[in-house]
Amino acid sequence: MTRRPIPRIGMACVALLSLLLAGIAAADTRAYRVETVAGGLDHPWSLAFLPDGRMLVTERAGRLRVIERGADGAFALRDAPVDGVPQVLAMGQAGLFDVMVDPGFAQTGLIYLSFAHGTAEANHLRIVRARFDGTRLHDVAPVFTSQPAKRAGQHFGGRMALLADGTLVTAVGDGNLERTDAQRLHTHLGKTIRVHTDGRVPRNNPFVGRAGALPEIYTTGHRNPQAIVRVGDALYSNEHGAKGGDELNAIAAGANYGWPITTDGVDYTGARVTPYRTWPGITAPLTHWTPSIAPSGMAWYDGTLFPAWRGSLFVSALVERSVRRVPMAGGVPGVQDILFAELGERIRDVRSGPDGALYLLTDSASGRVLRVVPAD
């Protein structure tokens, strides 16, 4: 019997059904327009907004750049980088990472930077606080430096967030050297840490006073964290697995997130990292991505330009060359959208702007800052 060809509308329905069964919704690309805000950036890594409408962008090579509106009202990248940025180790995955603006910036001028500090043979994740006068950084002071020193240029982490009590949290990668360090309390590798913004250790950190434990440690068992975002009293992070097993986690003080005891991924060789996906005492991810999407930045969207997107986490992805919209209800992820895949670019960061638009950073030697607004 001759089979009839499946009509195109039927093929579309099959594709949509496949996506829904995988927990992914088909995105309506007609609902938005993508504009270029600035180009010619060398692997831009992070974006932050100043109260007066200017933007700060980090370049992995070690430069902090300013985007501002010109006389014609259009955004433009200032030619000269910001002076006074500390020396950065730029090699492999190492470089200048996150930039975060202090909530009191209008009065204090304070910003925070995270970066790889040291040499190829002895390096750290470092966070500094500095005062920005519009062209230069002043009074640069270290807030946190990971210990001990490690070699090579992989798995730094470095995204930052402020909790409701004003303390600063960041995630530190495992260094990709001795993965079991993520479970050991004598090292910051494979942990999230929490400090005051002047570097002091909060007295109520979960491992304060424990013999042999570094007091800055907040959680354990992380591989290669790429983002950390506070939403009200909740704290979310994402991280790379190896081959599969990328994770979205809800971060709670003192919790253990499993690496390398548990994972949904395998080693890049195909060998097992561990036979366990769950284990007593291990906090399971909210969701995982297998095959790997290589999550990078993350943002919480509650703006007014896209009402249907409110209450969602947006997770940028390097390998998938997309942004995942993850709707959240009561701390539980819903059906995901895959957005912006039509750009065909690695997306390093995603941010929710004060204007209600969504901003993206493309990861290349000629990277761009993009602005997503409703379609006309």
Side-chain angles (χ1 to χ4, degrees):
M1 182 176 65
T2 303
R3 293 184 179 180
R4 294 180 181 178
I6 300 175
R8 288 188 178 183
I9 187 169
M11 294 291 287
C13 289
V14 170
L16 177 58
L17 180 60
S18 298
L19 288 172
L20 292 175
L21 289 174
I24 303 167
D28 182 3
T29 58
R30 297 170 299 176
Y32 57 77
R33 183 177 77 254
V34 180
E35 306 170 340
T36 299
V37 172
L41 291 153
D42 184 2
H43 294 280
W45 212 90
S46 177
L47 178 71
F49 303 92
L50 295 174
D52 62 3
R54 290 175 297 167
M55 301 176 222
L56 297 175
V57 184
T58 59
E59 293 178 293
R60 195 174 64 198
R63 292 177 292 272
L64 179 63
R65 309 295 297 274
V66 177
I67 297 174
E68 55 198 348
R69 291 193 182 272
D72 60 357
F75 286 115
L77 179 68
R78 187 186 295 174
D79 290 336
V82 173
D83 288 332
V85 173
Q87 185 173 355
V88 168
L89 172 65
M91 54 168 279
Q93 297 171 4
L96 180 58
F97 302 132
D98 210 5
V99 55
M100 182 175 70
V101 175
D102 190 88
F105 178 87
Q107 291 74 42
T108 65
L110 291 177
I111 67 168
Y112 304 84
L113 296 173
S114 65
F115 56 94
H117 164 76
T119 66
E121 293 302 318
N123 55 70
H124 314 258
L125 174 69
R126 172 167 282 186
I127 294 173
V128 298
R129 182 174 69 175
R131 183 170 52 84
F132 177 53
D133 68 3
T135 58
R136 184 177 181 83
L137 299 184
H138 301 270
D139 307 321
V140 179
V143 170
F144 169 76
T145 304
S146 64
Q147 299 297 334
K150 68 173 186 65
R151 61 179 174 82
Q154 293 181 300
H155 294 197
F156 283 89
R159 298 283 185 186
M160 300 176 285
L162 294 175
L163 299 184
D165 63 4
T167 55
L168 185 153
V169 290
T170 192
V172 185
D174 69 354
N176 201 31
L177 294 168
E178 176 48 70
R179 57 180 52 147
T180 56
D181 277 345
Q183 293 293 326
R184 295 173 174 150
L185 296 178
H186 73 282
T187 170
H188 291 126
L189 295 175
K191 315 297 191 301
T192 63
I193 66 96
R194 172 176 173 250
V195 294
H196 289 288
T197 55
D198 60 3
R200 291 177 296 116
V201 176
R203 295 179 181 177
N204 61 348
N205 268 2
F207 299 101
V208 166
R210 181 179 296 193
L214 294 177
E216 299 88 356
I217 294 173
Y218 195 60
T219 66
T220 63
H222 301 281
R223 181 179 181 272
N224 189 12
Q226 294 292 298
I228 192 160
V229 173
R230 179 173 70 89
V231 181
D233 292 329
L235 187 66
Y236 298 105
S237 75
N238 69 49
E239 64 181 81
H240 287 182
K243 190 176 181 180
D246 298 342
E247 295 181 355
L248 174 65
N249 289 303
I251 300 299
N256 185 336
Y257 293 86
W259 179 256
I261 298 170
T262 61
T263 179
D264 286 281
V266 296
D267 211 337
Y268 293 112
T269 63
R272 278 188 177 185
V273 174
T274 170
Y276 305 110
R277 292 185 175 182
T278 62
W279 188 260
I282 299 298
T283 300
L286 295 175
T287 191
H288 69 92
W289 294 283
T290 303
S292 176
I293 66 169
S296 48
M298 185 163 65
W300 175 254
Y301 186 81
D302 205 26
T304 58
L305 291 186
F306 295 98
W309 290 355
R310 298 189 73 184
S312 298
L313 288 167
F314 282 76
V315 180
S316 53
L318 299 168
V319 168
E320 191 175 70
R321 296 174 180 251
S322 70
V323 174
R324 290 289 183 110
R325 183 178 77 89
V326 186
M328 302 292 291
V332 178
V335 175
Q336 300 176 30
D337 286 342
I338 298 179
L339 299 168
F340 317 124
E342 70 275 11
L343 298 173
E345 298 198 56
R346 290 163 53 92
I347 310 297
R348 172 60 68 181
D349 199 11
V350 55
R351 298 285 168 145
S352 178
D355 57 357
L358 206 64
Y359 289 78
L360 314 176
L361 300 186
T362 66
D363 180 50
S364 76
S366 186
R368 296 184 292 162
V369 177
L370 304 176
R371 180 172 179 256
V372 182
V373 295
D376 294 334

